[in-house]
Amino acid sequence: MDQDCYVRQTQDGIFIHRLEDFAGMRKAGVLAANILDAVGDYIFVGQTTSEIDRQIDRMIRAAGATPATIGYRGYQHASCISVNHVICHGIPSEKILRPGDILNIDVTVIVDGWYGDTSRMYVAGNPSRKAERLIQITHDALMKGIEVVKPGKTFGDIGHAIQAHAEAERVSVVREYCGHGLGRIFHGKPNVLHFGPPNSGPVLETGMFFTIEPMLNLGKPQTKLLSDAWTVVTRDKSLSAQFEHSVGVTEDGVEIFTLSPNDKFDPKNSSKT
């Protein structure tokens, strides 16, 4: 990573970016969010996740951007699409969506060297009441974590806020997978845990860029990695949901780079056009 793209690194190895770097992250984040707004038109009963991925790839390239996941550690798709009990890193396939299926779509784009990373939940047809509830709780847990972000707080404060909300709603937090630093790199320090005690971990500073992306399960938190070495599922086959934003720490709070331009990120608003 070119040192001109950050001010310094903390003792924990976290990049501190310049004020002007926020503009690059905004541009990448808006494109990623726009694609997730648009892809909802391609989600319906009978659709395949591979066709959804093809549309995502088309939209990214039409915008003059690059799909960050293609070629990343051998991965060959423009998105990860995780259906029902798949927690994360679901591989697009020719399997069709069935009525009531819930799916997380995770997209990362590269725009002028900056990474925009976001994911959200969708439903094919009408969700069950328990699926609808899990999706909303997961969204709200993410936003509880983001509300904490400002200089002087800790990464442990973010995880604690997410865990407290999730467990109060009687759902579990996945432990093995977490958010991460980003900017001109896809994955960097720190690991952003979605659980843990407050007042722990590195202290937040202006200029830090990272994702917050809690994964919550209706059942137990234990996971299983499938033989394809990508797909992660709930060990008890319970439903799982995830939402993700890319954020930057500002002088007095937080900027969300991946806000939905059409206010579709919140499940309560997902039917808006």
Side-chain angles (χ1 to χ4, degrees), residues 95-264:
K95 187 175 182 180
I96 65 169
L97 296 175
R98 300 185 180 278
D101 279 351
I102 65 172
L103 55 157
N104 174 272
I105 300 181
D106 191 340
V107 169
T108 307
V109 301
I110 310 172
V111 179
D112 298 332
W114 295 98
Y115 286 75
D117 189 2
T118 184
S119 80
R120 68 180 83 156
M121 297 299 296
Y122 301 84
V123 182
N126 297 312
S128 66
R129 180 67 189 97
K130 64 181 181 179
E132 185 176 44
R133 179 175 175 272
L134 174 65
I135 289 170
Q136 190 65 54
I137 291 168
T138 307
H139 168 273
D140 295 348
L142 167 62
M143 300 314 293
K144 293 284 187 185
I146 291 174
E147 286 173 8
V148 169
V149 177
K150 65 178 181 180
K153 290 288 189 176
T154 70
F155 281 94
D157 294 331
I158 298 172
H160 177 72
I162 292 168
Q163 182 181 11
H165 180 76
E167 293 181 351
E169 296 291 345
R170 302 182 303 281
V171 300
S172 61
V173 180
V174 170
R175 263 58 171 178
E176 292 91 340
Y177 300 89
C178 59
H180 52 88
L182 83 169
R184 284 191 174 272
I185 53 174
F186 194 173
H187 294 96
K189 293 181 179 180
N191 290 334
V192 183
L193 304 181
H194 305 118
F195 64 96
N199 304 311
S200 64
V203 175
L204 298 174
E205 297 184 41
T206 303
M208 289 181 173
F209 298 160
F210 52 89
T211 70
I212 308 176
E213 46 186 294
M215 291 145 270
L216 305 185
N217 300 342
L218 268 182
K220 296 179 179 180
Q222 284 76 24
T223 70
K224 179 181 179 181
L225 179 64
L226 299 188
S227 59
D228 60 28
W230 283 104
T231 308
V232 180
V233 300
T234 55
R235 188 168 288 277
D236 62 6
K237 302 292 179 69
S238 63
L239 289 177
S240 186
Q242 179 185 21
F243 282 84
E244 174 184 15
H245 269 317
S246 296
V247 304
V249 183
T250 65
E251 290 184 355
D252 57 0
V254 62
E255 178 175 347
I256 302 174
F257 298 123
T258 46
L259 286 173
S260 164
N262 299 298
D263 197 23
K264 291 184 176 182

